[in-house]
Amino acid sequence: MEAPGVLHGFFVDAAARCPEHAALVEPGQGSITYRELAALSDRLRDRLHGLGVRAGDRVGIYMRKSIDAVAALYGILKTGAAYVPVDPGAPAERNAYIMHNCAVKAVVIEKRFEEKFRHELGQLGTLPSLFVLEGAGGGTPMRRALELADAQHPVAEIGTAAPAPRDLAYILYTSGSTGKPKGVMLSHENAVSFVNWCSEIFRPQPSDRFSSHAPFHFDLSILDIHVSLKHGATLVIVAEDTGKEPQHLASLIAEQRISVWYSAPSILGLLAQYGNLGRHDYSALRLVLFAGEVFPVKFLRALCAQLPRPKYFNLYGPTETNVCTYYEVPTPVPEERTVPFPIGKTCSHLRCKVVDEQGREVAAGNEGELVVSGRGVMQGYWELPEQSARAFIGGDDGTRWYKTGDIVIEAPDGNYTYLGRRDRMVKRRGYRVELGEIEAGLYRHPNVKEAAVIAVPDEEAGIKVKAFLSCREGKHPSLIEMKRFCAEHLPLYMIPDRFSWHEALPKTSTDKINYQRLKEMD
Amino acid sequence: MTEDVKNALKQFILKEFLPEEDPEELTETTPLITGGVLDSIATLKLVMFIEERFGVTLQAHETDVEYLDTIAAIVNLVRSKKS
């Protein structure tokens, strides 16, 4: 069989092979077959075309994770445009910035977000078309919105686009060190090469039931959605509230007979501690995949002990490359092991090497920065030519190597081990957080004179984020006020755990904030 | 009973999630989740506290923002569960 070159081609082919199979299940909301999902996304494709969306454009998705959101994503891809999913829980201001930044032609949005979003867009002077759904869940709101629009303005049926390998499939925004999120541009070739690698390693079957735990603006969703729907499998969409609650989640994994689980380690750690896993039958579960941050060994050991049957894989890779190394965790995890497991070996569609600060390859066994090249590596950051240029180093043969910023070491057996970061980026519950973006958010408070943020290791949470502040005048704002202010200006996962107020922050001899000293003050 | 529930919640939230905060600042209407006081793990701990302390069981949808965003909302939820 000839491999399709476009991301949505996988789903289109699967829908032709197994039209009556369940494509998506949204517990409590409903389910949809491949045939129905194909038809729904075709209708949205035509509607978006009617709104002026053309191949090469961008279209935003501003809604709760749902059957409707998956239909939106395929509808967008089928027009030949790239989808731009945002976190519906993030401030409207941030989401409007993202949509403005990549100049989306249209946004598929839930009604409850519309008013605030329109207001923020107005401030920025952007006016994309909004395709408004009454809600999201089960696919009914999408169907209704399309019916209503068709009754008012019928649109012609257009064909599904066949983009070129380098055309963009989606843009995922991640935290930017200057205080503004930056858009990672991923092409069809990037996504397709990754999806094919997943097929090779995980051998999905139509009988598989994948979890969709990560939100769609998070790159774990690429595996969930596009790998499951390539193979005619069923994707079980886990609602955000269930996804955070270990006991409900534990029941759901068993009841839905999930066979392939993928998430950040933090929720797996909570499942191991609070999930009461002994109550249920997990015989369907064959793969547990995790990525996004280090899995503390103590919780991984507890999880493997309670669920001994599945294979466990540690997947590693930034949004810019998606997964680039992988490691199968040998189970059970020995009692005496305390150091985290390696991130493993390079995926077959990519190449990795370790370089020093001058970009020269170091010999195996020496520390250095992991750099990655190959078909999975991003095209660059949206409209940030300088940052994009800085993200790569060129090889002698003209190869572009993406600099991950992660310091690693290669063991004699060829497995890489993660050691730390080169810069001020941290991982929190799987999310990338630039401490500089938090500082930029804190500086927007009128009473804040100085702000500095550090991350310190924490056994339970991985890291704790601590903010050190000094105040302009008078009484400093209360803790509740600072948290509320942050909630208005930053995504929730960026809100510091601790705030402390000082007369002035310690400085270095060159009058910069002395971060070393802050770590000692802690 | 409402006063007891309110006070127990207030004490727990102050102690666990707002160390060193002036107790006067935390009112019945302070937004807890939308106001950034509770992240997802803190919300989970609060739910476990509510279930244990007041002897009720919350359904998945009851761990939503609309039921848990303020002390007043939680008091209502607990009261409706008890009756």
Side-chain angles (χ1 to χ4, degrees):
Chain A
M1 191 187 78
E2 198 189 334
V6 297
L7 184 55
H8 50 278
F10 288 137
F11 166 65
V12 171
D13 288 355
R17 281 198 315 272
C18 45
E20 301 311 323
H21 199 215
L24 308 171
V25 172
E26 202 182 334
Q29 301 281 336
S31 65
I32 191 168
T33 64
Y34 275 81
R35 182 177 53 76
E36 291 165 333
L37 181 62
L40 198 58
S41 53
D42 281 351
R43 288 179 69 189
L44 181 66
R45 170 201 66 198
D46 299 342
R47 177 53 52 191
L48 291 171
H49 186 264
L51 291 172
V53 173
R54 296 292 177 271
D57 285 340
R58 275 85 40 217
V59 177
I61 301 178
Y62 195 156
M63 56 202 293
R64 187 169 76 80
K65 193 165 74 152
S66 53
I67 288 174
D68 309 81
V70 178
L73 178 160
Y74 279 113
I76 295 166
L77 286 172
K78 285 176 169 182
T79 66
Y83 69 90
V84 185
V86 295
D87 175 2
E93 186 190 2
R94 191 175 198 266
N95 289 340
Y97 170 81
I98 289 171
M99 301 295 190
H100 174 68
N101 180 250
C102 67
V104 292
K105 185 61 73 69
V107 181
V108 184
I109 184 171
E110 273 182 72
K111 194 166 184 48
R112 61 187 170 134
F113 303 123
E114 185 190 357
E115 192 187 328
K116 262 193 169 171
F117 183 57
R118 270 191 198 279
H119 173 77
E120 295 294 342
L121 286 175
Q123 307 275 2
L124 297 167
T126 303
L127 270 177
S129 308
L130 301 189
F131 186 67
V132 184
L133 273 56
E134 283 298 321
T140 308
M142 176 66 82
R143 260 181 225 113
R144 286 216 184 108
L146 287 166
E147 273 158 22
L148 198 67
D150 287 348
Q152 288 170 347
H153 303 282
V155 284
E157 194 180 325
I158 59 156
T160 286
R166 290 290 168 91
D167 288 345
L168 299 186
Y170 46 90
I171 303 179
L172 301 179
Y173 276 76
T174 67
S175 182
S177 55
T178 55
K180 292 287 183 197
K182 58 181 193 238
V184 181
M185 299 189 286
L186 294 139
S187 68
H188 283 269
E189 182 182 25
N190 294 154
V192 164
S193 63
F194 167 65
V195 170
N196 284 335
W197 172 79
C198 293
S199 302
E200 171 195 322
I201 300 299
F202 304 123
R203 304 269 162 206
Q205 302 295 324
S207 55
D208 271 320
R209 291 171 71 86
F210 281 67
S211 65
S212 162
H213 181 265
F216 291 175
H217 62 282
F218 200 1
D219 75 340
L220 273 69
S221 68
I222 304 305
L223 188 157
D224 302 339
I225 300 167
H226 300 290
V227 176
S228 63
L229 296 187
K230 171 186 173 183
H231 291 274
T234 301
L235 181 68
V236 179
I237 299 174
V238 182
E240 222 170 287
D241 48 1
T242 313
K244 286 188 288 210
E245 224 284 287
Q247 299 229 4
H248 295 303
L249 194 55
S251 317
L252 180 133
I253 298 170
E255 280 160 16
Q256 289 293 330
R257 302 201 53 77
I258 300 288
S259 63
V260 182
W261 174 268
Y262 187 27
S263 73
S266 47
I267 187 66
L268 288 171
L270 292 173
L271 273 175
Q273 292 172 79
Y274 308 109
N276 237 331
L277 295 171
R279 291 177 306 160
H280 301 288
D281 166 22
Y282 294 98
S283 55
L285 193 61
R286 67 178 188 90
L287 287 171
V288 174
L289 317 176
F290 53 88
E293 65 195 326
V294 174
F295 200 151
V297 176
K298 143 174 156 184
F299 299 135
L300 178 56
R301 180 188 299 114
L303 184 68
C304 296
Q306 293 173 75
L307 299 177
R309 197 174 157 274
K311 291 183 168 190
Y312 289 80
F313 282 89
N314 182 18
L315 308 183
Y316 157 85
T319 305
E320 285 84 344
T321 64
N322 213 316
V323 176
C324 55
T325 71
Y326 68 112
Y327 181 82
E328 185 178 344
V329 176
T331 55
V333 177
E335 269 312 310
E336 62 279 8
R337 185 172 186 112
T338 53
V339 292
F341 284 100
I343 55 173
K345 293 180 179 163
T346 309
C347 302
S348 59
H349 65 303
L350 293 167
R351 286 161 66 201
C352 287
K353 63 179 184 181
V354 184
V355 300
D356 64 15
E357 279 173 20
Q358 281 72 46
R360 292 173 305 212
E361 189 165 359
V362 302
N366 290 293
E367 280 182 25
E369 181 176 0
L370 187 72
V371 297
V372 188
S373 76
R375 287 182 298 144
V377 179
M378 69 155 177
Q379 308 301 298
Y381 300 113
W382 179 263
E383 283 189 350
L384 292 170
E386 281 167 30
Q387 280 199 46
S388 300
R390 277 205 304 275
F392 292 97
I393 51 172
D396 296 336
D397 54 355
T399 312
R400 291 185 328 152
W401 293 88
Y402 170 70
K403 296 157 70 181
T404 62
D406 288 329
I407 304 300
V408 303
I409 191 164
E410 189 183 343
D413 64 3
N415 283 309
Y416 294 110
T417 293
Y418 172 82
L419 299 174
R421 283 293 296 176
R422 191 172 47 92
D423 53 19
R424 300 189 65 219
M425 193 192 87
V426 298
K427 286 295 190 92
R428 210 173 177 212
R429 275 176 262 131
Y431 288 98
R432 253 157 90 149
V433 177
E434 288 284 359
L435 297 177
E437 185 172 355
I438 303 179
E439 287 167 358
L442 291 169
Y443 269 113
R444 299 175 63 171
H445 192 287
N447 287 6
V448 167
K449 189 171 155 212
E450 292 173 301
V453 173
I454 61 166
V456 295
D458 179 85
E459 194 185 19
E460 221 175 284
I463 56 157
K464 289 261 188 220
V465 173
K466 304 198 171 184
F468 294 79
L469 301 157
S470 72
C471 188
R472 283 205 185 282
E473 56 201 29
K475 191 173 174 289
H476 67 72
S478 71
L479 182 55
I480 289 173
E481 186 191 329
M482 286 312 295
K483 291 208 169 195
R484 191 186 312 185
F485 179 82
C486 287
E488 281 165 17
H489 295 277
L490 294 169
L492 291 177
Y493 55 85
M494 286 196 200
I495 301 177
D497 296 295
R498 297 268 179 277
F499 293 82
S500 64
W501 293 91
H502 305 265
E503 281 286 312
L505 300 189
K507 306 290 186 327
T508 63
S509 55
T510 53
D511 212 33
K512 288 182 177 153
I513 287 176
N514 188 338
Y515 285 97
Q516 209 44 52
R517 183 83 189 80
L518 289 178
K519 283 182 185 157
E520 291 157 15
M521 281 163 66
D522 186 51
Chain B
M1 114 107 180
T2 302
E3 279 305 306
D4 293 348
V5 173
K6 203 189 300 174
N7 287 332
L9 286 167
K10 197 170 161 175
Q11 291 314 318
F12 178 76
I13 293 167
L14 282 169
K15 182 170 145 279
E16 289 287 320
F17 313 118
L18 294 167
E20 292 167 45
E21 178 62 307
D22 177 357
E24 299 285 306
E25 296 280 340
L26 179 64
T27 69
E28 270 180 71
T29 55
T30 301
L32 300 172
I33 297 173
T34 57
V37 173
L38 302 178
D39 63 11
S40 54
I41 292 171
T43 307
L44 166 68
K45 287 184 175 161
L46 178 67
V47 168
M48 295 198 308
F49 170 79
I50 294 168
E51 293 190 330
E52 212 159 285
R53 176 70 183 254
F54 307 119
V56 294
T57 304
L58 303 192
Q59 303 302 311
H61 73 275
E62 288 168 338
T63 58
D64 256 9
V65 143
E66 54 176 307
Y67 294 97
L68 301 177
D69 203 32
T70 61
I71 290 180
I74 303 170
V75 169
N76 279 336
L77 178 67
V78 173
R79 204 165 40 196
S80 73
K81 289 258 155 190
K82 284 277 194 189
S83 62

